[in-house]
Amino acid sequence: MPPHVSADRSPAQPPGRGPVDALISQARRLKGEVDAVRQDAQGDASDPRGRWERALCDLALRQLNDIGEHLAQLRDGPEPVHTAPAAESGTPAAPPRGRLLSRVGSAEWNLLTDEAAWSGELFLILGRDPAVPPLTLDELPSVVLDEDRPRLTAMVTDCLVDAKPIDGEFRIVRPDGVVRAVHMMGEPVLDADGGTASMWAVLRDVSELRLSQSAVRETRDSLHRHRRRTQTEHRLAVEPQEAALPPWRGSLRLPHRGRPRLDLAAHHLPSSTGTPIGADWYDALELADGDTLLSVGGLTGRGPGMTSGTAMLLGSLRGMAMAGARPGQLMTWLDQLLDATVQPALGSAVCCRYRPATRTLTWARAGHPAPLLFRGGTGRILDTPDGVQLGAASGTSYGQAEETLETGDLLLLHTDGLVPRRESARSSAAEREGRTATAHRLLDLAPRFTAARRAQECVRTVVEEFGGTGREDDACVLVARVTS
C-alpha cells in the first residue's frame, strides 16, 4: 500500500531571504536526484514494482515543484505596501493550515477482466468504504463532478487507445458531499502483443494545495486592487492641489518685459505621512502697475475641502491685489472672506508687495511666520506687524510694514510645515518657540545663500536642509533675490 505522505506545519515567522534561498537550492538538488532515480527505474513496463517506483518519482517531482513554488512565494512575498489592505469583502483569506503534501493512492484497472484494484489510501481519498468493491473504469465518472467528466473521459480514452500517459486533474464528490480536487497520473500496461491490458494510475488529493494557491492569488489580486485604488486616490488628491498652485514651477524672473528685477524660485514639500492632500500655497504675480505680489500661506487641515479653499483664497488674493489693494487691506478682506464661507476655516498668510522703482517692500501677515531678509552674508527676521489667523475673529484689521531692499538682497518666505509639528507642543507659546527655532535654522544658511548664484540654488539648499524631516504637514518655500 502506498505510504501516506503528509506534512503539518504550525504558522511561524517567515524565514529570511537567505534561509529560503538555501531551501530552494536544496529542493532543486533533490529534484535532480529524484529524476536520476526515475531514469534508473525505467525497465519492464509490466513490472508492478517498477511502475510504482516511477509513479512515486513522478509524484515526488511534482511535490518538489510545488514546494519550490511556495518557497519562491515565501521569499518574494506579495508586492510591497506601508499597511496590509483588507479585501473588498473583508480580510483576505489566509492560506489554509492543512497539508500541502497530501494523501496519495494508487489503482489498476484490468481491461480484460473489468476488475479494479485500489490501495487503501485511494479509498480514503474518495471517501469509499474499503469493504465495498472499488469502482471500475466505467463507474469512476459517477463520483466526478459533471463539468469535469469530459476531461476524465478524454484522459482515459487517450491512455487506452493511444497509449498516452495520464496527467490531469478533476474534482470528485465524496459520499458525505465534500468536493475534493484529485490529480491523476497514469499509464497503460501493455501485454505481450503490444495491446493495452490494463491502466495503472496514482491519484493524489491536492485540495489543500489548490486552496492555498487560490488564497495566494486572491491576496495578490487584493493587493493589486489596493495599489490601483491608492494610485487613483493619490492622483485625484494631487491634481486639485497642483491646480491650486500658481502655473509657474521652479523658477521665475520678473518683470516679464524689460530687465528682470527679481529672480524667484519656489518649492512645495509634501507631507511625509502618506496623505498627499495639503493646503499650503506660494505665489508670485506681476501686477498691472509693475509691482510684484509675493505670498505664501495655507489653511488649517488637509483634504479636498481644504484644497478647494486654498484655490479660492489664492484666486481672491490675486484678484484683490490686481485691483490695487495693499497688503494690510488684503489680509483684512481675506479674513472677512473666510469668516463668510459656508464651511469656516482658519488660515495663515504673509503677503508682500514689491515696487522695483524704489525697491520698497510692503508686507503684512496673518498668524504666519515673518519673512526673512538676507544681506551681506547674514540674515534677520523682519520686524513683525501683528496679525491673528485668518478667520479667527470677525472684524480684524491688519497692519503692514515697509522695508527698503538693496541689490543682492534675498527675501525668504515659508509656511509652518517645514519642521515636524511634534517637535513642539500645540500651545501658542510653544508654536512661537518652534517658529523661532525654524527661523534660526534658516538664518544659519546665510553663507550658503550668499554663495548661490540663483534663487533656485537657495531653494534647493532649503529642501536639502528640511526635505528629509518627518513632516506631518506639507510646506512651501519662496525665495526672491533682488537683481537690480
Side-chain angles (χ1 to χ4, degrees):
M1 182 175 68
H4 173 194
V5 185
S6 65
D8 272 321
R9 184 173 181 179
S10 300
Q13 293 296 324
R17 179 178 291 269
V20 177
D21 283 336
L23 288 173
I24 292 175
S25 297
Q26 291 179 22
R28 290 173 179 169
R29 188 162 52 250
L30 282 172
K31 283 171 60 178
E33 295 174 357
V34 171
D35 189 57
V37 172
R38 186 188 186 283
Q39 296 299 324
D40 291 340
Q42 298 289 352
D44 187 357
S46 62
D47 178 16
R49 180 173 181 80
R51 292 200 304 269
W52 175 247
E53 290 177 352
R54 289 195 304 276
L56 282 181
C57 288
D58 288 338
L59 182 59
L61 289 173
R62 283 194 168 274
Q63 299 273 28
L64 288 170
N65 281 332
D66 292 336
I67 291 173
E69 178 182 339
H70 281 277
L71 287 173
Q73 291 170 346
L74 179 63
R75 178 194 62 192
D76 300 335
E79 300 189 12
V81 284
H82 293 290
T83 54
E88 294 176 355
S89 60
T91 305
R97 298 183 184 180
R99 297 181 302 269
L100 295 181
L101 306 179
S102 50
R103 295 187 182 277
V104 179
S106 64
E108 183 169 0
W109 289 276
N110 191 310
L111 302 182
L112 302 179
T113 63
D114 200 28
E115 293 177 338
W118 286 8
S119 68
E121 288 292 335
L122 186 53
F123 282 95
L124 293 175
I125 292 173
L126 300 183
R128 310 284 297 182
D129 183 355
V132 176
L135 299 175
T136 66
L137 271 182
D138 291 334
E139 295 171 333
L140 184 61
S142 65
V143 300
V144 178
L145 281 182
D146 292 344
E147 54 264 40
D148 290 356
R149 287 177 186 172
R151 184 182 311 139
L152 174 64
T153 300
M155 289 191 299
V156 171
T157 301
D158 288 344
C159 179
L160 299 181
V161 176
D162 299 325
K164 292 182 178 179
I166 290 178
D167 188 349
E169 193 171 308
F170 50 87
R171 290 164 297 171
I172 59 98
V173 183
R174 297 181 2 164
D176 58 4
V178 175
V179 177
R180 307 294 291 178
V182 175
H183 181 264
M184 184 165 75
M185 298 176 64
E187 58 186 19
V189 179
L190 305 181
D191 58 20
D193 298 328
T196 303
S198 62
M199 190 186 83
W200 190 85
V202 171
L203 294 93
R204 170 186 169 210
D205 187 340
V206 293
S207 304
E208 279 78 13
L209 176 61
R210 296 299 174 249
L211 286 173
S212 174
Q213 292 171 336
S214 176
V216 170
R217 286 194 300 269
E218 181 181 340
T219 302
R220 183 183 293 115
D221 291 343
S222 175
L223 292 176
H224 282 313
R225 290 193 297 271
H226 176 77
R227 183 177 64 177
R228 289 195 296 268
R229 184 165 56 247
T230 301
Q231 291 172 341
T232 300
E233 291 172 352
H234 184 272
R235 185 179 68 255
L236 293 176
V238 168
E239 287 177 354
Q241 185 181 29
E242 291 293 322
L245 292 175
W248 63 277
R249 297 289 188 271
S251 60
L252 180 70
R253 296 175 74 84
L254 295 177
H256 294 296
R257 294 187 180 89
R259 187 172 66 176
R261 304 296 182 89
L262 287 179
D263 175 24
L264 299 156
H267 189 78
H268 173 262
L269 292 86
S271 71
S272 57
T273 62
T275 304
I277 306 178
D280 284 9
W281 86 80
Y282 63 83
D283 193 24
L285 177 67
E286 184 180 0
L287 303 176
D289 60 2
D291 290 0
T292 297
L293 177 72
L294 306 174
S295 68
V296 298
L299 296 179
T300 302
R302 54 164 60 94
M306 294 298 100
T307 304
S308 61
T310 297
M312 176 199 70
L313 210 63
L314 183 55
S316 301
L317 178 65
R318 285 181 154 220
M320 291 185 290
M322 277 292 188
R326 310 297 294 174
Q329 186 65 62
L330 281 173
M331 294 293 102
T332 300
W333 286 345
L334 288 179
D335 177 70
Q336 294 174 1
L337 179 63
L338 278 185
D339 189 51
T341 55
V342 176
Q343 295 180 335
L346 295 177
S348 67
V350 60
C351 180
C352 306
R353 188 172 184 130
Y354 178 67
R355 176 154 294 178
T358 59
R359 297 199 189 96
T360 302
L361 181 76
T362 306
W363 65 282
R365 77 177 187 110
H368 202 83
L372 305 180
L373 178 63
F374 296 84
R375 177 183 295 167
T378 61
R380 62 184 175 91
I381 304 172
L382 291 183
D383 293 335
T384 307
D386 292 333
V388 299
Q389 278 190 307
L390 300 172
S394 301
T396 302
S397 296
Y398 295 85
Q400 61 185 35
E402 287 191 357
E403 185 81 23
T404 300
L405 304 184
E406 300 177 2
T407 300
D409 281 357
L410 185 141
L411 186 72
L412 189 149
L413 312 179
H414 69 92
T415 59
D416 272 323
L418 274 182
V419 294
R421 181 82 56 89
R422 60 177 176 269
E423 286 186 359
S424 62
R426 297 183 181 271
S427 67
S428 298
E431 184 177 0
R432 287 194 297 271
E433 183 180 344
R435 284 182 175 178
T436 301
T438 302
H440 286 311
R441 284 181 62 184
L442 289 167
L443 293 175
D444 289 340
L445 300 177
R448 297 174 65 181
F449 291 159
T450 302
R453 297 181 180 181
R454 297 287 305 275
Q456 183 66 49
E457 296 178 36
C458 299
V459 167
R460 191 176 299 116
T461 298
V462 175
V463 173
E464 291 173 356
E465 178 71 17
F466 294 91
T469 57
R471 288 179 307 281
E472 296 177 358
D473 302 315
D474 61 334
C476 291
V477 60
L478 172 66
V479 169
R481 183 186 289 278
V482 180
T483 59
S484 64

